[in-house]
Amino acid sequence: MIWQTIFLGLMLQLILVIGAKYPKNINIWPMPESVEYGNQTLTISKDFNLKVDGSKYKDKSSILKDSFTRLLDVVTSNNVIEYNFGKVDQSNLLQGIHVVILSEDDQLQYGVDESYKLNILSKGNPNYAYIEAATVYGTLHAMQTFSQLCHFNLHTRKLIVSQTPISITDRPRFSYRGLHIDTSRHYQPLPMIKKVIDSMAYAKLNVLHWHIVDEQSFPLEIPSFPKLWNGAYSRPERYTVAAAADIVSYAQRRGINVLAELDVPGHARSWGIGYPALWPSKTCREPLDVSNDFTFELINGVLSDFSKIFKFRFVHLGGDEVDTSCWKLTPRIQKWLKNKGLNESTAYEYFVLRAQKIALSHGYEVINWEETFNHFGSKLDRKTVVHNWLGGGVAEQVVKAGLRCIVSNQDKWYLDHLDNDWQQVYMNEPLTNITNPEQQKLVIGGEVCAWAETIDGSNIEQTIWPRAAAAAERLWTHPDKLAKDPNEVTSRIANFRCLLNQRGVAAAPLDVPGRAAPIGPGSCYVQ
């Protein structure tokens, strides 16, 4: 296998047209770390197949096989292919993809190696595209890249791969590349969540941050405390344990981790519908009662059930926008605070740190919104990841304190802010003003957020896409390949937006705010 790799490398050196430092004439999104390409065209065989000779990965769970099936589906779905190859030179037929995976393991976890190499020669008999990856998850990304190189030729009515020979070496810039969805303000049907996961894979995003519950509704089944989902909007607008586990499995098979969020102590009024003892009083229902041990027994039960479903290393415990007025206005809580030597502010700290200890006991590392850092950052567990959202400059302070950070500043990366156009999203740099290499490593990535006050199944895709794609390239692509001016990538992101439409994803036009409709007739590629 080493000799095969060397041979392919030598052949490519002989016949490649070397791409520019920033290749502008090839439509791949997000842009790979290294791309070299030529000017030849191959036709895809009707018997296009998958070879795994030399691969250590045995695909016992069929992740690779299913990925190849999905690849065939997306590249053939746009037109009817006419497989008459009588006049095609057999050496110009691409017979399939030869995949070599170097690891036997298919455990998906934070920091898994997602790198890959993709080579396509311009001639061969038989001729196969060649993918080499450290893990199956790198291979999934390579498949997505390959799918974007395939086109339907209207003249021949066949699928082609142009600009061969192609040599791509690729890996992500950040290990955490997230999209946040919110099923507490509006319920999202399971098929729609799966569609969102599919579209994330197209853009190489790898974390679905599932904000499942909030003050408005609690739609998730919790076996340890079965009355919690009494706080759902309605009986049909609920997720069973089996449904949540299915979402996690569906995402994992596409290389995507699911981050579950349990936002405490604020944003939790709906919890008390089933368990009123969680409220400070009947008339003052949020934040959760800090003085009641039952509050923490319940959090322990929820996180215990979470640990059986959500296998990602991290759990999100929220901690944002905590208004402690109810604690101050409730006499028995005030008495408890006095006995403990606490005030409302230190009680907030006490609650967050106690919840963190519970999560750690279940094997999780904790993500908290930035208010926890802003109020008592030095007290947070050192494994804490601080999730920035209020604005700029926070990540810089977090990493100086030696903690990890995720960037989601609302002025650029909140997709429900419809005035955040794709250009702003693209130019939002997670490492702004962070120049120390060791501190840069503490920024584990970023996330675009689609809060759902005005989002349901009718418009979630339009709200997310194509703006999330702009963040996806910022988080995936090596800084040297990122455009200094978003106008340089307008054509390429327009092409990706149209590709999403062709794959059944309701991505909105580029040239309108947020999720607005096209303003009139026109080509997909210029709207």
Side-chain angles (χ1 to χ4, degrees):
M1 192 52 58
I2 294 174
W3 285 109
Q4 181 179 3
T5 303
I6 294 172
F7 173 74
L8 283 169
L10 290 172
M11 290 292 291
L12 286 163
Q13 288 178 29
L14 288 171
I15 59 180
L16 275 172
V17 175
I18 304 300
K21 178 182 177 183
Y22 179 73
K24 300 177 183 297
N25 300 316
I26 191 164
N27 283 318
I28 304 174
W29 195 281
M31 181 59 70
E33 183 177 68
S34 171
V35 182
E36 296 175 344
Y37 58 96
N39 56 14
Q40 304 299 308
T41 297
L42 294 175
T43 300
I44 293 180
S45 168
K46 66 177 179 180
D47 299 317
F48 195 76
N49 63 86
L50 176 67
K51 283 177 56 176
V52 293
D53 301 349
S55 182
K56 292 183 179 179
Y57 181 68
K58 303 307 179 186
D59 201 27
K60 294 178 181 178
S61 54
S62 299
I63 293 175
L64 178 59
K65 179 182 176 182
D66 289 351
S67 173
F68 183 72
T69 300
R70 291 194 302 273
L71 168 68
L72 295 179
D73 287 344
V74 297
V75 300
T76 61
S77 62
N78 295 325
N79 282 285
V80 176
I81 313 302
E82 299 180 16
Y83 290 112
N84 177 10
F85 289 97
K87 298 181 180 180
V88 176
D89 183 344
Q90 291 296 307
S91 68
N92 287 327
L93 282 180
L94 192 62
Q95 303 288 348
I97 298 179
H98 183 184
V99 172
V100 173
I101 300 172
L102 305 179
S103 171
E104 300 177 2
D105 189 17
D106 62 8
Q107 181 181 8
L108 179 64
Q109 197 46 265
Y110 170 76
V112 68
D113 193 329
E114 300 173 273
S115 64
Y116 68 89
K117 295 179 182 178
L118 170 63
N119 293 316
I120 307 172
L121 295 177
S122 56
K123 280 185 180 295
N125 195 10
N127 197 0
Y128 278 76
Y130 180 77
I131 292 171
E132 182 179 297
T135 70
V136 68
Y137 299 107
T139 303
L140 300 188
H141 295 313
M143 294 278 195
Q144 294 296 343
T145 299
F146 180 85
S147 75
Q148 294 187 35
L149 298 171
C150 299
H151 311 282
F152 180 73
N153 186 316
L154 280 168
H155 177 68
T156 64
R157 314 298 169 92
K158 294 175 177 60
L159 277 173
I160 63 169
V161 178
S162 57
Q163 296 175 289
T164 66
I166 295 173
S167 178
I168 292 173
T169 301
D170 204 7
R171 59 179 175 173
R173 180 186 180 198
F174 291 102
S175 293
Y176 185 110
R177 306 178 304 281
L179 169 66
H180 164 290
I181 65 168
D182 170 11
T183 58
S184 60
R185 275 59 181 245
H186 281 98
Y187 175 85
Q188 287 293 342
L190 292 170
M192 182 55 72
I193 296 176
K194 289 181 176 180
K195 283 194 71 180
V196 169
I197 290 169
D198 285 337
S199 61
M200 289 175 64
Y202 299 152
K204 299 185 176 70
L205 294 173
N206 71 344
V207 178
L208 177 69
H209 177 178
W210 191 358
H211 189 88
I212 308 174
V213 304
D214 207 289
E215 63 182 83
Q216 291 87 352
S217 73
F218 196 114
L220 180 65
E221 179 183 22
I222 302 295
S224 299
F225 292 91
K227 293 181 182 179
L228 275 172
W229 71 351
N230 290 359
Y233 285 125
S234 67
R235 292 184 68 86
E237 294 172 299
R238 291 175 171 178
Y239 306 103
T240 65
V241 167
D246 182 53
I247 289 296
V248 171
S249 174
Y250 189 90
Q252 184 260 338
R253 298 178 69 82
R254 287 151 180 80
I256 295 169
N257 282 296
V258 177
L259 169 68
E261 181 173 355
L262 194 72
D263 197 347
V264 294
H267 290 280
R269 187 177 64 238
S270 63
W271 300 33
I273 303 297
Y275 296 96
L278 296 169
W279 290 333
S281 70
K282 290 183 179 180
T283 57
C284 209
R285 301 182 175 185
E286 202 173 65
L288 297 172
D289 187 348
V290 66
S291 70
N292 191 344
D293 282 340
F294 174 67
T295 299
F296 298 97
E297 292 171 14
L298 185 140
I299 290 172
N300 182 60
V302 173
L303 290 174
S304 176
D305 288 347
F306 267 28
S307 69
K308 298 176 179 68
I309 306 168
F310 302 105
K311 302 299 184 180
F312 194 30
R313 177 188 298 183
F314 302 103
V315 68
H316 205 305
L317 293 183
D320 61 312
E321 298 182 319
V322 179
D323 180 354
T324 59
S325 299
C326 280
W327 294 346
K328 185 176 182 179
L329 296 172
T330 306
R332 62 179 178 79
I333 296 181
Q334 272 297 302
K335 182 179 179 181
W336 180 88
L337 291 174
K338 184 176 180 181
N339 290 338
K340 289 283 188 180
L342 300 173
N343 56 34
E344 292 81 20
S345 177
T346 53
Y348 167 40
E349 175 188 317
Y350 166 86
F351 196 116
V352 168
L353 297 184
R354 187 169 174 182
Q356 282 198 336
K357 289 179 181 178
I358 294 171
L360 291 166
S361 75
H362 290 288
Y364 283 119
E365 295 178 33
V366 176
I367 302 174
N368 279 115
W369 293 109
E370 70 173 69
E371 287 94 326
T372 60
F373 174 79
N374 297 338
H375 284 82
F376 45 87
S378 63
K379 304 289 183 63
L380 292 170
D381 186 273
R382 299 307 294 173
K383 291 184 178 180
T384 303
V385 180
V386 178
H387 197 164
N388 152 242
W389 74 278
L390 286 172
V394 175
E396 183 181 358
Q397 298 304 313
V398 170
V399 298
K400 280 182 179 178
L403 295 174
R404 292 170 294 176
C405 188
I406 296 167
V407 173
S408 291
N409 48 311
Q410 63 175 334
D411 59 325
K412 297 293 189 296
W413 276 6
Y414 269 29
L415 301 176
D416 51 299
H417 292 199
L418 300 182
D419 55 343
N420 288 344
D421 59 32
W422 76 265
Q423 292 94 335
Q424 291 175 295
V425 174
Y426 188 90
M427 295 306 293
N428 190 48
E429 173 51 51
L431 298 184
T432 296
N433 295 328
I434 303 173
T435 57
N436 182 301
E438 293 305 311
Q439 293 179 2
Q440 289 179 340
K441 293 176 184 177
L442 294 174
V443 179
I444 67 172
E447 174 180 296
V448 282
C449 300
W451 295 97
E453 284 86 350
T454 62
I455 298 173
D456 66 7
S458 70
N459 61 8
I460 185 170
E461 291 180 302
Q462 297 167 343
T463 307
I464 292 170
W465 304 107
R467 290 179 297 157
E473 178 153 296
R474 176 66 51 173
L475 293 167
W476 176 275
T477 300
H478 190 278
D480 287 347
K481 292 294 194 299
L482 289 167
K484 301 299 187 290
D485 180 345
N487 292 324
E488 296 178 31
V489 301
T490 300
S491 175
R492 190 160 50 84
I493 194 173
N495 186 82
F496 185 72
R497 179 251 167 173
C498 296
L499 182 70
L500 291 174
N501 283 176
Q502 291 163 6
R503 294 180 180 182
V505 179
L510 283 179
D511 61 355
V512 296
R515 56 174 173 254
I519 58 175
S523 166
C524 173
Y525 296 96
V526 296
Q527 290 188 324

